[in-house]
Amino acid sequence: MCTATEGRWGRTQRALLCCVLVAAWEAAWGQLRYSVPEELPKGSFVGDVAKDLALQLAALRDRGARILDRGKTRYFALHANSGHLVTAERLDREQLCEGMQRCVLRCEVIVEGEMKVYEIEVEITDINDNAPRFGESEKELRMSEITAPGSRFSLSKAHDPDVGVNSLQSYELSGDEHFSLSVQVGADGEKRPELVLAKALDREEAAFHELVLRAMDGGEPSRTGTARIHVTVLDANDNAPVFSQAVSAVRVPEDVPVGSTLVTLTATDADDGLNGDVKYSFKEISTKASKVLDLDPKTGSLKLLRSLDFEEGDSYQMEVQAHDGGGLSDTATISISVTDVNDNAPELTVSSALSEISEDAPPGTVVALLHVQDRDSGANGEVRCSLVGDVPFRLRSSVGSYYSVVTARELDREEVSAYNVTVCASDGGSPSLRSSAVLALRVLDVNDNAPVFAEARYSARLPENNAEGALVLTVRAWDADWGQNARVRYRLAEGRVRGAPLSSYVSVQAETGALYALRSFDYEEVREVGLWVRAEDGGAPALSSNVSVRLLIVDENDNAPQVLYPPAAAAGAGWTGVELAPRSAEPGALVAKVVAVDADAGQNAWLSYELAKATEPGLFRVGLHSGEVRTARSPLARDAPRHSLVVVVKDQGRPALSATATLTVVLAESVAELLSELGSAAAPAEPAGSLTRWLVLAVAAVSCLFLAFLLLLLALRLRRWRRSQLLPPASGALRGVPASHFVGIDGVRAFLHSYSHEVSLTADSRKSQRRWAADSCCNTLPARPPPDKAAPLLGEDAAGARGAPPDALPGPRFEPTAAALGVSGACSAGRRLRAPLFTTEERRGRSGALQPAPPAAARLSRSLSVSAIVRAASGPAVRSRAPARRRNRRQRTAAGPEPGTGTEA
């Protein structure tokens, strides 16, 4: 006995511990649950909210804890002094939760200081305060005396509002031996009493029978309810009414108009007269349904007395009885389902809200606490909340039907300084009903704008072999602030490339964001450089942002193909790249394969092969892309035993780079024959090499001949120039005598005409100039120039060329006239000299614009002396030689300018 008691006590302790743990878990999650019996007086203790929420009484008062009022009946109250939850009025479970097995009342406690809501569930437990009650305390039954024993008659059910063991449990019948009681249990567990005729009736023996039906519940103490049954024995009525449908199910919307006929029942009776007159009545109906529905006893029409409300009741079930005048009856069951109509808009209530918020508030900061509910059900009661417009806030589901308005991102007072946040709640009905609430919020300013790059990421393509210091790209970032906070500076984030610091590869200009390459990149070493650039403003504290920069090195064709096979011949090495081809090889037979690689990538590494040189051009061919050397035809007997092939390997770059490979193919049937051929051909050179040497020798011979011709031509020119210097030079100069005064003296005129041109000589012969004077003829001599502008003629020496005064030069001043020289009318006899022989430098020296001519020009000007001119003018021998001199002059004119003058036409 003691062991059993201890076992029960242990189970009780474990059950209490589980209850405490569940209560603690629910309290941690913001939900409290209490249980109280019904019929408690007002002010009864329900639970200690302050203790269960771990709140001090002072904190509970300071933080503004209260129960939210939803505009409905308040069943509970919260004492701020004690933190106890008490009843606000008497609780009647049967009134609050009619027909529900579990009665739970909910309320919400809001702590405004913490912006938290705690949901409280209070379960109202049932007590046995209601006795079973029949709908009809007295019932009259009419039975024919010919009713067969065993016939069953339905009786009214008793209703007990209590639940559980306190509800209806059993029926008892007392009063007569002719009848017995049978209780049928339905699928839903409901007990239905039936009166069973146990013994045949005899009207002559007993016309009336009085019965008492008793209903009992299982409470402690048990409560009972009674109903009296009056049975009247009638004469025989052998046909009972029959319903066309034993069960009728009707679905009606809740907005059906009052007075509408929901369903019409039909029952028929085969009897005539009073026994065939059928009347309709409710056999069983709930109190709620009796207030809404009405049954016409004559027609059987079920009409609506008042408006239906899905939220108050979604279904009604009743039994209708049809009985004739003889007391026979039939029963039909009617089930009415009310469908919901979207007739209730969502109710949106602002429980708590802020009026201002700092712009640096982190995302997720609670701005307001909202409560939303919809009395409809199903899709019509599904409420969707949303924010109107593009605002930096979002809704977050909270406890139960509460929503929190929180910041979705950091606020920016520079963009928007105040918000009017409109919260819209809409249900899922058609058409949808909605309601809204407006929250006014002011944003407080802080320094919260970081630099923002113009692009989310940057990339640039840089050709390899770039110049050091080349500009790669420029990153840009803007700051929405102003002044010092908007001053952006750039710098590189730490990083390494191939083991070296990133700063040795690239740099960024702090003010402009320009990114420069500090070294020349090689695609074969570095193909891509990833780095981060940070932009930092001048605020305190400074804000910054980073952006990724991807630098792609673009390959250039800077690597020529490298031939792997055949290998290049080393100095002093023997034969390399020697391949054996049998003379019996068929066309297309594989002889060798040239293998090459290219360090570049892409198109620059695509290689093609072609045969550049062959001893026998038509004997072999090379695959364009494979590099395979194959026979183009079968070898012939006349083909040389050894062949040299030069294969060019090119890539596809621009410009294309190439390499060559040399193969030696020996036509032999065996290795021994191959070695014999190589030994015999080691000494003689290849025919192609001999041809190249002969070509080089021929080019050298032609170049030597051309150089000899140029030297001979130069010698001839020098010889002609020295013949022109045969006249002795004069020691003086003719001053103030124009060259035109000597026209008419044939010898002198012929000699002067050959030098009647302007010559500019410099140290560089490419810059020398000569301008030939145009021929002219006149019958008069020009006037003598003014004394201040004396025209020097031919005899001016180097001193005069350097700008010395004419009087400083040696020699007599000679001013012959036309009569003295005998040159009157001599212009028609030949050409006349238009201008004296002066170099361009001498002419410019006189005017002061140019420097004097070099000594070569001075020597040319002294080639004519005064004595030569006088001899020519006085001697007839000179005139006799005039035709010969004119011929010489024509020859010199035809031969061109004399060598050494360096002139340019």
Side-chain angles (χ1 to χ4, degrees):
M1 180 67 181
C2 183
T3 302
T5 304
E6 289 178 355
R8 288 195 299 271
W9 175 246
R11 288 194 296 271
T12 304
Q13 285 183 334
R14 287 194 294 271
L16 290 175
L17 179 59
C18 291
C19 293
V20 170
L21 292 177
V22 170
W25 180 82
E26 293 175 346
W29 284 91
Q31 186 175 15
L32 300 177
R33 291 185 179 179
Y34 300 101
S35 177
V36 296
E38 64 176 338
E39 300 299 333
L40 288 178
K42 180 179 180 180
S44 299
F45 174 80
V46 176
D48 192 349
V49 175
K51 179 180 179 182
D52 295 336
L53 294 180
L55 298 175
Q56 299 296 330
L57 294 179
L60 189 66
R61 290 192 299 269
D62 295 339
R63 296 178 183 177
R66 59 185 175 87
I67 293 181
L68 293 177
D69 186 8
R70 300 295 177 202
K72 297 181 180 181
T73 304
R74 294 183 60 181
Y75 298 102
F76 303 96
L78 180 64
H79 285 174
N81 295 328
S82 62
H84 293 170
L85 183 69
V86 298
T87 58
E89 62 180 18
R90 187 180 67 85
L91 302 178
D92 188 357
R93 184 187 181 284
E94 287 73 24
Q95 182 181 359
L96 297 175
C97 305
E98 181 182 1
M100 299 178 63
Q101 290 295 324
R102 187 169 179 267
C103 183
V104 178
L105 298 181
R106 294 177 175 84
C107 62
E108 293 90 15
V109 175
I110 181 171
V111 182
E112 293 187 349
E114 296 180 355
M115 298 294 288
K116 290 185 178 180
V117 174
Y118 299 93
E119 188 176 45
I120 300 177
E121 291 184 2
V122 181
E123 182 178 4
I124 310 301
T125 60
D126 182 54
I127 64 174
N128 192 19
D129 59 338
N130 293 283
R133 181 177 300 177
F134 289 92
E136 296 176 344
S137 60
E138 293 185 4
K139 183 175 180 61
E140 184 177 354
L141 294 177
R142 294 175 180 268
M143 298 183 185
S144 176
E145 61 181 351
I146 62 173
T147 302
S151 299
R152 295 175 177 267
F153 301 90
S154 298
L155 300 177
S156 298
K157 294 187 300 181
H159 176 67
D160 193 339
D162 296 330
V163 295
V165 296
N166 297 326
S167 62
L168 178 65
Q169 298 296 323
S170 61
Y171 292 91
E172 290 182 358
L173 182 66
S174 63
D176 201 316
E177 61 178 358
H178 288 82
F179 299 93
S180 65
L181 181 65
S182 175
V183 180
Q184 302 293 331
V185 180
D188 55 351
E190 189 177 17
K191 299 178 176 63
R192 301 176 183 272
E194 291 182 353
L195 186 64
V196 181
L197 183 61
K199 185 179 180 181
L201 298 176
D202 189 359
R203 186 178 181 278
E204 287 72 18
E205 181 179 347
F208 298 95
H209 298 270
E210 295 292 333
L211 305 174
V212 177
L213 180 63
R214 185 177 291 107
M216 296 169 291
D217 60 19
E220 291 291 337
S222 177
R223 292 177 179 267
T224 61
T226 59
R228 293 186 177 273
I229 302 173
H230 304 279
V231 179
T232 302
V233 181
L234 303 176
D235 286 340
N237 180 19
D238 55 349
N239 290 292
V242 178
F243 280 99
S244 58
Q245 288 183 344
V247 178
S248 299
V250 181
R251 295 177 62 88
V252 294
E254 65 175 337
D255 60 346
V256 64
V258 177
S260 300
T261 300
L262 303 183
V263 65
T264 299
L265 303 176
T266 303
T268 58
D269 195 328
D271 295 333
D272 294 331
L274 184 61
N275 293 331
D277 188 11
V278 179
K279 300 295 184 181
Y280 301 91
S281 62
F282 286 115
K283 181 181 179 181
E284 182 180 349
I285 187 172
S286 64
T287 304
K288 184 188 297 184
S290 63
K291 296 177 181 180
V292 178
L293 304 174
D294 178 62
L295 180 63
D296 191 336
K298 293 183 178 181
T299 62
S301 298
L302 189 64
K303 295 184 179 181
L304 190 63
L305 293 179
R306 50 182 289 188
S307 298
L308 298 175
D309 192 354
F310 178 83
E311 288 71 30
E312 294 180 0
D314 58 347
S315 64
Y316 300 92
Q317 192 166 357
M318 65 212 72
E319 291 182 2
V320 177
Q321 187 179 52
H323 55 85
D324 58 12
L328 299 179
S329 62
D330 190 15
T331 303
T333 302
I334 301 176
S335 177
I336 298 177
S337 298
V338 181
T339 58
D340 185 42
V341 176
N342 192 24
D343 57 345
N344 294 284
E347 298 175 4
L348 187 61
T349 307
V350 180
S351 300
S352 182
L354 299 179
S355 60
E356 58 186 22
I357 186 174
S358 178
E359 69 172 341
D360 63 345
T365 302
V366 179
V367 175
L369 191 63
L370 307 175
H371 179 266
V372 61
Q373 65 177 1
D374 194 323
R375 298 180 64 240
D376 294 324
S377 63
N380 297 329
E382 295 178 0
V383 181
R384 296 182 298 273
C385 292
S386 60
L387 299 179
V388 178
D390 185 13
V391 292
F393 303 94
R394 61 183 177 87
L395 288 173
R396 184 175 64 190
S397 179
S398 186
V399 179
S401 56
Y402 282 89
Y403 288 87
S404 299
V405 179
V406 299
T407 55
R409 59 179 184 272
E410 293 184 355
L411 304 179
D412 192 355
R413 198 200 69 86
E414 286 74 17
E415 294 181 358
V416 181
S417 60
Y419 292 93
N420 288 324
V421 183
T422 301
V423 183
C424 181
S426 59
D427 58 23
S430 180
S432 177
L433 301 179
R434 63 183 59 196
S435 59
S436 61
V438 179
L439 304 174
L441 189 63
R442 185 166 60 93
V443 182
L444 303 179
D445 183 50
V446 293
N447 181 23
D448 61 340
N449 288 287
V452 178
F453 284 92
E455 298 180 17
R457 60 184 60 87
Y458 288 85
S459 63
R461 299 174 66 87
L462 179 65
E464 66 173 336
N465 304 320
N466 58 286
E468 295 182 0
L471 176 64
V472 179
L473 80 162
T474 302
V475 296
R476 294 290 184 184
W478 288 267
D479 196 315
D481 295 325
W482 63 278
Q484 185 66 20
N485 295 332
R487 184 181 179 184
V488 180
R489 296 180 65 85
Y490 306 88
R491 62 187 179 91
L492 286 177
E494 295 293 334
R496 303 188 71 84
V497 177
R498 294 179 60 88
L502 179 63
S503 58
S504 64
Y505 282 81
V506 292
S507 67
V508 63
Q509 215 283 333
E511 298 294 335
T512 63
L515 197 66
Y516 296 95
L518 299 182
R519 61 171 61 182
S520 180
F521 287 90
D522 189 357
Y523 178 82
E524 287 69 30
E525 295 181 358
V526 179
R527 299 193 176 188
E528 179 178 343
V529 177
L531 54 97
W532 288 86
V533 177
R534 170 172 291 182
E536 188 174 75
D537 62 19
L543 301 179
S544 62
S545 59
N546 299 326
V547 69
S548 65
V549 179
R550 184 184 180 194
L551 180 59
L552 301 177
I553 309 303
V554 180
D555 182 44
E556 289 187 346
N557 192 23
D558 58 344
N559 291 284
Q562 181 180 0
V563 178
L564 302 180
Y565 183 83
W575 296 99
T576 60
V578 178
E579 300 293 338
L580 173 63
R583 287 187 174 274
S584 60
E586 297 293 331
L590 179 62
V591 176
K593 182 174 182 178
V594 178
V595 180
V597 294
D598 197 320
D600 294 323
Q603 184 176 353
N604 298 328
W606 296 351
L607 301 181
S608 61
Y609 304 82
E610 62 179 347
L611 186 61
K613 179 182 175 183
T615 305
E616 186 67 31
L619 183 56
F620 300 96
R621 58 182 174 87
V622 178
L624 180 62
H625 300 291
S626 62
E628 296 178 348
V629 179
R630 296 179 179 271
T631 56
R633 59 176 176 80
S634 297
L636 302 177
R638 67 172 182 270
D639 292 332
R642 186 169 58 87
H643 297 265
S644 178
L645 305 180
V646 178
V647 179
V648 177
V649 185
K650 293 183 179 179
D651 58 22
Q652 302 301 316
R654 293 186 179 179
L657 301 180
S658 61
T660 58
T662 302
L663 283 171
T664 300
V665 180
V666 176
L667 299 179
E669 295 296 335
S670 64
V671 177
E673 186 178 354
L674 168 65
L675 296 177
S676 175
E677 178 62 27
L678 290 178
S680 62
E686 295 180 3
S690 300
L691 179 61
T692 302
R693 285 194 296 272
W694 282 112
L695 289 176
V696 172
L697 292 175
V699 172
V702 172
S703 300
C704 293
L705 291 176
F706 179 73
L707 183 60
F709 173 76
L710 291 179
L711 294 175
L712 179 61
L713 182 61
L714 181 60
L716 293 176
R717 302 290 287 182
L718 289 175
R719 182 172 178 274
R720 293 183 62 184
W721 178 76
R722 289 186 58 83
R723 296 169 89 185
S724 65
Q725 304 295 326
L726 294 178
L727 290 177
S731 59
L734 295 177
R735 302 181 180 275
V737 181
S740 59
H741 289 189
F742 296 94
V743 176
I745 304 174
D746 294 337
V748 176
R749 183 182 61 187
F751 188 79
L752 290 179
H753 183 76
S754 62
Y755 293 92
S756 181
H757 51 269
E758 293 182 4
V759 180
S760 296
L761 297 178
T762 63
D764 188 357
S765 62
R766 289 175 298 176
K767 298 181 181 180
S768 302
Q769 296 180 358
R770 170 185 291 177
R771 186 173 65 189
W772 295 93
D775 296 338
S776 62
C777 182
C778 61
N779 296 326
T780 61
L781 293 173
R784 182 178 179 178
D788 56 346
K789 295 183 180 180
L793 178 65
L794 302 176
E796 290 187 349
D797 57 4
R802 287 192 299 268
D807 297 336
L809 296 175
R813 295 175 56 91
F814 180 64
E815 298 180 359
T817 63
L821 297 175
V823 294
S824 174
C827 185
S828 58
R831 292 183 175 178
R832 185 176 55 185
L833 189 64
R834 294 292 305 273
L837 181 61
F838 291 108
T839 64
T840 304
E841 289 76 359
E842 290 174 329
R843 294 170 59 90
R844 294 185 183 179
R846 290 185 174 222
S847 60
L850 294 177
Q851 297 298 326
R859 288 194 303 268
L860 184 60
S861 63
R862 288 196 302 268
S863 61
L864 298 179
S865 64
V866 176
S867 59
I869 296 175
V870 173
R871 286 195 305 269
S874 59
V878 175
R879 296 191 189 96
S880 64
R881 291 194 301 268
R885 291 177 179 173
R886 281 195 292 271
R887 286 193 301 269
N888 295 334
R889 182 186 60 195
R890 285 193 296 268
Q891 293 175 359
R892 286 194 299 271
T893 303
E898 295 178 0
T901 57
T903 61
E904 180 179 351

